[in-house]
Amino acid sequence: MASWLFGLAIFVVHLLGFLSAILALLSSRTSQGAVAWIISLVAIPYLAVPAYWIFGRPRFYGYVSARGERDSVLRRILSDYRVRLEPYLADAHNPDVKAVERLAMMPLTSGNHAELLIDGKATFDSIFAGIDAAREYVLVQFFIVRHDALGQQLKEHLLRAVRRGVRVYFLFDEVGSRKLAEGYLRELADAGVEVNPFRSSRGFKHRFQLNFRNHRKILVVDGCEGWLGGFNVGVEYLGQHPRHGPWRDTHLKLTGPSVLGLQEAFWEDWHWATGEVINLCWEPQVTCEECQNVVIVPSGPADRQETASLMVQQAIHSARERLWVTSPYFVPDQGVQDALRLAAMRGVDVRIMMPEHPDHLLIYISAFSFLPDMVRAGIKVYRYQPGFLHQKVILIDDSAAAVGTVNLDNRSFRLNFEITAFIPDRHFAAEVCQMLERDFAVCRQISYDELQRRPLWRKLVSRAAYLTAPIQ
């Protein structure tokens, strides 16, 4: 009897491995990932089956289901809001901008003002001032919130807002903020703040969806001011971490109709996390004198398209003179690598800025497997020297720039919920250019000879590390 049960168990495990391999074949978004999973699921199903159902699923099916519910429950609100936006819709004559607009599934709006916020003090001074000026509501969403001095400051500003009668909604990622003290959250909730984690594993049928993370950083005040960019909440983002030292990052403050795009992304995430439909202001507001066009690009594993990856590829293909990219985690897929090399070969000034000292060793090592080919193709690779580089910025020629949360790696392209502001405006692009020129001035350029001089064992380690890129 025992041997019969043992044989049945082996059969079931191998059957699950075979069925999971079929699912991987049909749904994996990269051929590299599909091959790796299929071989593992068939050869070692005892280990690979649980790993696949935790790390290998290509889409956030729970969020897809929630979107289906939204289509029936929330469609009227969205339809009314989009009608109100019509007077502020900008005509995207440029096909490159039109492509981004279609990827975003959000409109390019006029009547906006985008303010660059460089580094931590400027960012959090602006955010805290916005919270203090709130009259109706504050929407707060971060990947990481820490119970340290900066986290305490955020909490105090939110508590003061609640005492003024402002509604506060606080959303955090359960993985990124796993070390956040329960007392911190309880104090917010007891004061009247609506506090919820973005729990990708919510619900029994979604319990294996642990690999999807909400990497967005969004703050919206009264539907008229919004913030997004690279900053989380922790003292290291102010440069107060002994290991990382000075922290180089970029955030963005928006006013105008584009803020409603940030609000919509938060609204969807809140609906997933709680099932609630919160009452917000959807009336576009224009206060700028020198206005800019902006399109908000939410992206994530519930999208039908690979929005983040395609947005980056579109930016690369549209560049004619210059493409400057900054990313702390640079492990792009083959499509992005090929697009970057082709851009350099057609004469575009392609520059990649990365940190000199990593905070994730595996990702850092992975990059050395393909950097020699990129440098040989004419791409200039720079390492930022003064401290840790965390900004996610793209500059395209003299005409457009993007600021947001997307890193150039598989996690941002396919596993994380991200948010980007794409701004096709020459004045804003000039500001970004000046900012990046200052950053490049304190970088070290990597040469092809330097990469080739690495010992064989390091080349082997970097290549092996790169094979794990689909699940990093």
Side-chain angles (χ1 to χ4, degrees):
M1 182 66 176
S3 61
W4 181 83
L5 290 175
F6 181 72
L8 178 62
I10 291 177
F11 172 77
V12 170
V13 171
H14 280 274
L15 178 62
L16 288 174
F18 178 73
L19 294 176
S20 299
I22 293 175
L23 181 60
L25 176 64
L26 294 175
S27 60
S28 291
R29 295 189 174 187
T30 67
S31 57
Q32 179 186 1
V35 170
W37 281 118
I38 290 169
I39 293 174
S40 301
L41 288 164
V42 172
I44 47 172
Y46 314 98
L47 298 176
V49 169
Y52 177 75
W53 286 96
I54 294 174
F55 299 111
R57 303 179 78 186
R59 296 190 72 195
F60 191 166
Y61 293 105
Y63 202 97
V64 172
S65 301
R67 280 185 167 177
E69 296 167 10
R70 182 204 70 188
D71 286 344
S72 59
V73 178
L74 310 179
R75 182 177 296 174
R76 179 184 56 80
I77 298 174
L78 277 179
S79 297
D80 290 347
Y81 142 57
R82 292 293 176 91
V83 168
R84 295 176 194 174
L85 271 182
E86 287 181 0
Y88 307 99
L89 298 184
D91 190 0
H93 295 291
N94 188 325
D96 295 323
V97 178
K98 189 68 175 177
V100 174
E101 187 180 33
R102 293 185 65 182
L103 273 175
M105 297 181 67
M106 283 194 180
L108 179 73
T109 59
S110 60
N112 304 287
H113 178 68
E115 177 187 353
L116 274 177
L117 299 171
I118 301 173
D119 290 337
K121 185 178 186 306
T123 296
F124 287 101
D125 283 352
S126 178
I127 285 175
F128 293 155
I131 295 172
D132 291 344
R135 294 173 296 176
E136 299 292 333
Y137 59 84
V138 178
L139 313 178
V140 184
Q141 179 177 8
F142 286 99
F143 177 61
I144 296 173
V145 180
R146 301 204 190 280
H147 189 188
D148 58 15
L150 185 60
Q152 290 292 343
Q153 282 186 274
L154 174 65
K155 182 181 68 177
E156 290 304 319
H157 284 279
L158 295 178
L159 293 177
R160 286 201 294 267
V162 170
R163 288 194 287 268
R164 298 195 312 270
V166 175
R167 291 179 290 139
V168 177
Y169 301 88
F170 185 91
L171 188 63
F172 61 95
D173 185 84
E174 64 173 343
V175 176
S177 299
R178 63 189 179 278
K179 296 180 181 180
L180 185 58
E182 186 63 31
Y184 183 98
L185 299 173
R186 190 182 308 113
E187 187 174 353
L188 288 172
D190 289 347
V193 175
E194 296 287 338
V195 178
N196 275 289
F198 185 91
R199 186 176 292 117
S200 60
S201 58
R202 179 177 66 86
F204 180 77
K205 66 180 180 179
H206 309 310
R207 63 194 180 279
F208 295 120
Q209 297 185 148
L210 302 180
N211 202 31
F212 303 112
R213 302 174 191 172
N214 199 312
H215 194 240
R216 292 170 180 164
K217 296 93 175 172
I218 296 173
L219 196 139
V220 174
V221 170
D222 297 335
C224 60
E225 292 184 324
W227 290 259
L228 77 158
F231 279 98
N232 288 296
V233 181
V235 294
E236 67 266 37
Y237 294 88
L238 298 176
Q240 298 175 14
H241 192 286
R243 175 187 169 194
H244 298 304
W247 190 280
R248 176 68 189 91
D249 218 329
T250 299
H251 227 67
L252 193 66
K253 178 184 177 183
L254 292 174
T255 58
S258 64
V259 174
L260 298 183
L262 291 180
Q263 181 167 283
E264 182 179 335
F266 179 94
W267 189 61
E268 283 194 343
D269 289 348
W270 187 267
H271 177 60
W272 157 257
T274 67
E276 299 173 359
V277 182
I278 54 178
N279 183 30
L280 303 174
C281 173
W282 296 100
E283 194 67 41
Q285 300 183 46
V286 176
T287 58
C288 57
E289 295 181 0
E290 296 183 5
C291 294
Q292 299 156 329
N293 295 339
V294 177
V295 59
I296 299 298
V297 188
S299 57
D303 297 350
R304 294 179 180 177
Q305 306 280 355
E306 292 184 358
T307 305
S309 176
L310 291 174
M311 176 188 67
V312 171
Q313 291 184 61
Q314 171 58 31
I316 298 168
H317 291 307
S318 67
R320 296 294 176 267
E321 297 178 358
R322 167 168 54 196
L323 182 84
W324 294 355
V325 178
T326 71
S327 177
Y329 313 119
F330 185 73
V331 193
D333 56 32
Q334 195 62 50
V336 172
Q337 290 181 41
D338 292 343
L340 287 168
R341 283 196 292 266
L342 285 170
M345 290 176 182
R346 67 174 184 264
V348 177
D349 177 16
V350 180
R351 302 187 191 181
I352 308 296
M353 189 190 307
M354 297 180 286
E356 178 73 84
H357 305 289
D359 66 338
H360 291 287
L361 185 60
L362 188 63
I363 296 175
Y364 175 83
I365 294 172
S366 299
F368 286 97
S369 66
F370 56 81
L371 283 180
D373 288 340
M374 301 189 83
V375 172
R376 186 165 53 190
I379 296 170
K380 302 169 186 173
V381 179
Y382 295 83
R383 294 286 190 185
Y384 186 76
Q385 298 298 301
F388 186 67
L389 178 83
H390 192 253
Q391 62 176 328
K392 305 96 165 49
V393 177
I394 300 176
L395 176 64
I396 307 158
D397 297 333
D398 298 321
S399 57
V403 178
T405 66
V406 174
N407 297 304
L408 268 71
D409 65 359
N410 182 68
R411 177 158 293 281
S412 275
F413 285 170
R414 298 180 179 89
L415 299 176
N416 285 350
F417 289 88
E418 308 281 4
I419 192 97
T420 302
F422 181 83
I423 305 172
D425 180 85
R426 287 186 171 274
H427 177 72
F428 182 76
E431 291 184 18
V432 171
C433 178
Q434 292 175 6
M435 176 186 75
L436 294 183
E437 283 178 337
R438 293 193 294 270
D439 292 335
F440 280 120
V442 291
C443 286
R444 177 180 70 85
Q445 186 174 354
I446 299 175
S447 69
Y448 180 75
D449 288 342
E450 175 187 344
L451 294 170
Q452 288 299 98
R453 285 197 302 268
R454 290 176 303 135
L456 178 61
W457 70 268
R458 287 192 176 181
K459 295 179 181 179
L460 293 174
V461 168
S462 65
R463 190 61 188 171
Y466 181 63
L467 293 178
T468 68
I471 59 172
Q472 284 177 10

